[in-house]
Every structure is written in structure tokens, then in C-alpha cells.
Amino acid sequence: MNISGRWRVLCASHWSLANANVVCRQLGCGVAISTPRGPHLVEGNDQISTARFHCSGAEAFLWSCPVTVLGGPDCSHGNTASVICSGNQTQVLPQCNDSVSEPVGSAASEESAPYCSGEGPTGQKTLFITPSMGRQLRLVDGGGPCAGRVEIMDQDSWGTICDDSWDLDDARVVCRQLGCGEALNATRSAHFGAGSGPIWLDDLNCAGNESHVWNCPSQGWGKHDCRHKQDAGVICSEFLALRMVSEDQQCAGWLEVFYNGTWGSVCRSPMEDITVSMICRQLGCGNSGSLNSSVALREGSRPQWVDGIQCQKTDTSLWQCPSDPWNYTSCSPKEEVYISCAGDLLFLCLSQLCRMSLV
Ligand SMILES: *[C@@H]1O[C@H](CO)[C@@H](O)[C@H](O)[C@H]1NC(C)=O
Ligand SMILES: *[C@@H]1O[C@H](CO)[C@@H](O)[C@H](O)[C@H]1NC(C)=O
Ligand SMILES: *[C@@H]1O[C@H](CO)[C@@H](O)[C@H](O)[C@H]1NC(C)=O
Ligand SMILES: *[C@@H]1O[C@H](CO)[C@@H](O)[C@H](O)[C@H]1NC(C)=O
Ligand SMILES: *[C@@H]1O[C@H](CO)[C@@H](O)[C@H](O)[C@H]1NC(C)=O
Ligand SMILES: *[C@@H]1O[C@H](CO)[C@@H](O)[C@H](O)[C@H]1NC(C)=O
Ligand SMILES: *[C@@H]1O[C@H](CO)[C@@H](O)[C@H](O)[C@H]1NC(C)=O
């Protein structure tokens, strides 16, 4: 990917088939067949981008997908993202046996579900694209791309999954498919609100290693005895949130980030003005702030999740700022950051700005 005039390879951790699909479409190369693992040839000094994309698969460009950079892993040169595309095939050939791609009664874990293959006229392996290639997955109303109500797009409609026998193994497939890491919770009873439209799947029984959630055994596509108040949801380890912790102030306090299911602190070396401003803006606390180093050491213990955050002018949220990798002990407790933002939620609430920052 060309980032600021420089080509970089992408890291394979969190790389998904949905991301790969967007890449293939963007390049006019059909759909993604697979994302082979293993070492790939990379020029010695090529920089590796640790950006993690969370595409649903429908996006026209990779850079339209939600992206996280903060806390990205150190990526070794053997671990770069890759994809094999189908090539520009627009024909659906009749030899294709559609039933292979249907969850109904098929084997528990068909690896390359959206496609079936056979020998082409020239003896080459030919890929046939079945109707289910149009399916997409997303998480809704969870406050980010890696938590929320599970929704699947099929036949031009977004629908949901019923929570009968919904568990962590099912959630695991969803999180992996979205490049969102590990599954932390499989939520039931419309925890993230009730959806609308069809209920596509019920009694899902994933082993956990399937490549797509619709490959898991179930009642069958569209078969269910549920209502939307039973919509299933997930929280994945890559779900991120931000808050200030203080006894009496809303726009000053200890900065905390939610990662891997736990609130932890942020370390302050080095933290430039541009990063502090980004944080204050994201919290709806004005356009600037300062580090406050005259506060006493904080009580209690928690992870020190991240250090070395360096936002740049082009970043649009803290999640896009580069930093050191997530680490349970990124710094000592006395290096946890306390920020005082210039804005004040109460003051802002009296002005027009408040409404903008609260919606
Ligand atoms: C793919 O093939 C179709 C039909 O042959 C053609 O109309 C289209 O322009 C091709 N796309 C690319 C990117 O080559
Ligand atoms: C399609 O595959 C299913 C399951 O593998 C099989 O039962 C069926 O006979 C196949 N149909 C054709 C037309 O090959
Ligand atoms: C998933 O795991 C089971 C057993 O643990 C195995 O039999 C099956 O082949 C695996 N499926 C895939 C798609 O890796
Ligand atoms: C997620 O699971 C953990 C552990 O089971 C639990 O403590 C927590 O309350 C759950 N969170 C939600 C939002 O369900
Ligand atoms: C996230 O949590 C899981 C278990 O809860 C743990 O195994 C894993 O190491 C944690 N990851 C990080 C980066 O702390
Ligand atoms: C730093 O925080 C303390 C405790 O909240 C506060 O009394 C002090 O005014 C703050 N200093 C600055 C420069 O914001
Ligand atoms: C986490 O940080 C500690 C020092 O704070 C370091 O020794 C360790 O290697 C780091 N772990 C990872 C996975 O980067």
C-alpha cells in the first residue's frame, strides 16, 4: 500500500479474507480465493505497515475500511499479508455445485466456501463463483468495528443471527473473519439492540476454526424460530474505547484505553501536543490540552497498555496513530499519563459545539 508516497507491505496478523476480497476487487482481479500463510519475498528494507483493516468485504477500496494502527504488533518480515485473486471472471458456470457452499447439511468446515472448483477446458484449475460470494459480515451498534450485533448481508439484505446455542466458538469465527482478534464475549438477547430484516442463522454450532461464520452447521440458511430480541452479538479483543478517570472532572483525569477486554492506562513518553489534542478532541473535550505531571501517584493496579503514541496530522482518530505494540506492562505506574483538556464538557454543552460532540 502506498502510504504518504512510500510503498509498504502489510502485516499478516489480523489479515482477513474480507480484506483480501476488497484488494482483489480494487485491482480488477475478481474475488479473493485464499490468503496463503508463510514467508513471502520482501525487499530487505521495505517498511511493514502494522495497520489492521476490518473490511466487511463490500468496500470499493481498502482505505475505505475501518482501520486501526494504535498498538499494532511488531511485524516480522516473514509475516506479511498476501492474497490470491480469482482473476477477472464474471461468468458463473453451470458445472458449479452450489450445495457445497450452503451451510445446510454440508460438512462443518468447508474451507473455501464461497467457491467451487473444477477442471477448465484447458486443463487448468478453474474457479466458479457461486451466489454466496456476495455475503458480507459486520458488527453494528457496539461503538466500533470490533464489537456489536452480528449482521450478515445476503441477497441485498442485512440480517442477524439468533442467540439459540450462541457461544464463544461461534464468536471466535466472527472475530477472526473481521480481523478483530480473539473473541472475548458472545452476547445474547440483543445486548447491542435488536436488529431488523431477516434472521439468517439459528442454532449455530461452529467448531471455531471455520473461515466464514456461514459455513458453520446450523438449522439452515434463513431457518429459525426466533425474534430480533434474541439477536446475537460479540465483543472481540481488538475492540477499543477511550475514557478519562477522575473523581470530579469530566475533561481532566487519568487516560484509559479499553483493549483485550480490560481498561488500562496509557504511558506518557513521549506524548506531543498533537497527540494530546487528538485525545481531547476524541473525548469531546475541546481542541487542546496538556499533560499534568503534578498529580500524585495513582492507587491500584491495571495494565499499562500502550506507550510511544505519535499522532500525525493526517490521523483522524487516536486509533489511527502509530505507537509501540500493546503490552501489559508498557511502562511503570509512575509514567501513566494524566491529561487536562482545555475544553470543558459542561461549558461546551451550553454552546452549539456540544450537540455536535455528543451525537
Ligand atoms: C472483466 O471482464 C468483463 C467481461 O469480459 C469486462 O467487461 C471488464 O471490463 C473486465 N474488467 C477488467 C478490470 O478487466
Ligand atoms: C452436489 O454436492 C452434493 C453434496 O456434496 C451432492 O449430494 C450432490 O449430488 C451434488 N450435485 C451435483 C449435481 O453434482
Ligand atoms: C477444525 O478442527 C477439526 C477438529 O478440531 C478438524 O477436524 C477440522 O478439519 C478443522 N477444520 C478446518 C477448516 O480447519
Ligand atoms: C464479558 O464476559 C466477561 C467474562 O465472562 C464478563 O465479566 C463481562 O461482564 C461480559 N461483558 C459483557 C458486555 O457481556
Ligand atoms: C489478551 O487476553 C488473553 C486472555 O484473556 C491473553 O491470553 C492474551 O495474552 C492477552 N493479550 C495481550 C496483548 O495482553
Ligand atoms: C493538575 O491536576 C491537579 C489535580 O486534579 C490539579 O489540582 C491541577 O490544577 C492540575 N494542573 C494543571 C496545570 O492542570
Ligand atoms: C513488554 O514490555 C516489557 C518491558 O516493559 C518487555 O520486556 C517485553 O518484551 C514486552 N513484550 C512484548 C510482547 O513486546
Side-chain angles (χ1 to χ4, degrees), residues 50-94:
T50 57
R52 285 146 287 153
F53 296 91
H54 312 287
C55 306
S56 77
E59 296 86 352
F61 304 100
L62 189 59
W63 44 81
S64 310
C65 302
V67 59
T68 4
V69 177
L70 191 77
D74 278 331
C75 196
S76 69
H77 269 88
N79 193 29
T80 53
S82 65
V83 53
I84 295 176
C85 304
S86 64
N88 180 13
Q89 278 180 275
T90 49
Q91 249 182 319
V92 178
L93 300 177

Side-chain angles (χ1 to χ4, degrees), residues 60-328:
F61 304 100
L62 189 59
W63 44 81
S64 310
C65 302
V67 59
T68 4
V69 177
L70 191 77
D74 278 331
C75 196
S76 69
H77 269 88
N79 193 29
T80 53
S82 65
V83 53
I84 295 176
C85 304
S86 64
N88 180 13
Q89 278 180 275
T90 49
Q91 249 182 319
V92 178
L93 300 177
Q95 292 98 312
C96 178
N97 185 344
D98 265 2
S99 68
V100 176
S101 67
E102 286 301 314
V104 196
S106 70
S109 42
E110 195 68 44
E111 189 50 52
S112 52
Y115 325 101
C116 34
S117 60
E119 295 292 312
T122 58
Q124 280 175 312
K125 202 163 188 219
T126 311
L127 284 146
F128 306 107
I129 299 163
T130 72
S132 72
M133 69 166 276
R135 279 186 197 152
Q136 292 151 28
L137 179 71
R138 67 178 183 188
L139 300 178
V140 180
D141 291 343
C146 292
R149 181 172 67 248
V150 183
E151 293 197 354
I152 299 172
M153 154 97 110
D154 190 59
Q155 298 158 30
D156 290 332
S157 300
W158 285 103
T160 62
I161 298 180
C162 179
D163 67 2
D164 290 335
S165 75
W166 179 248
D167 64 16
L168 266 185
D169 284 329
D170 306 322
R172 204 161 277 145
V173 178
V174 169
C175 290
R176 182 165 355 91
Q177 197 178 329
L178 290 168
C180 286
E182 299 300 318
L184 300 175
N185 287 59
T187 67
R188 298 155 156 267
S189 309
H191 178 84
F192 293 105
S196 58
I199 297 172
W200 290 127
L201 291 167
D202 187 16
D203 280 324
L204 214 62
N205 187 18
C206 305
N209 57 0
E210 291 88 352
S211 58
H212 296 85
V213 69
W214 43 81
N215 294 355
C216 300
S218 72
Q219 293 261 355
W221 192 248
K223 299 210 177 87
H224 68 89
D225 54 2
C226 303
R227 320 218 3 209
H228 279 297
K229 65 180 186 197
Q230 283 172 273
D231 282 345
V234 300
I235 302 171
C236 308
S237 59
E238 295 294 309
F239 169 66
L240 304 175
L242 192 68
R243 70 178 182 189
M244 295 262 221
V245 177
S246 149
E247 272 174 14
D248 52 357
Q249 299 181 79
Q250 278 191 302
C251 285
W254 298 101
L255 187 67
E256 290 196 346
V257 63
F258 188 83
Y259 171 70
N260 205 19
T262 311
W263 287 102
S265 58
V266 173
C267 306
R268 63 165 180 246
S269 70
M271 191 175 279
E272 292 162 9
D273 285 349
I274 182 168
T275 300
V276 177
S277 299
M278 175 74 80
I279 289 163
C280 291
R281 258 200 309 277
Q282 190 157 330
L283 290 166
C285 287
N287 280 322
S288 64
S290 56
L291 302 187
N292 184 333
S293 45
S294 58
V295 281
L297 191 65
R298 193 180 174 194
E299 287 176 9
S301 73
R302 60 202 70 77
Q304 286 85 36
W305 271 137
V306 65
D307 195 9
I309 307 177
Q310 288 190 293
C311 296
Q312 281 137 24
K313 274 203 290 266
T314 47
D315 297 325
T316 55
S317 88
L318 183 66
W319 313 139
Q320 294 181 3
C321 302
S323 73
D324 296 343
W326 298 117
N327 186 331
Y328 201 86

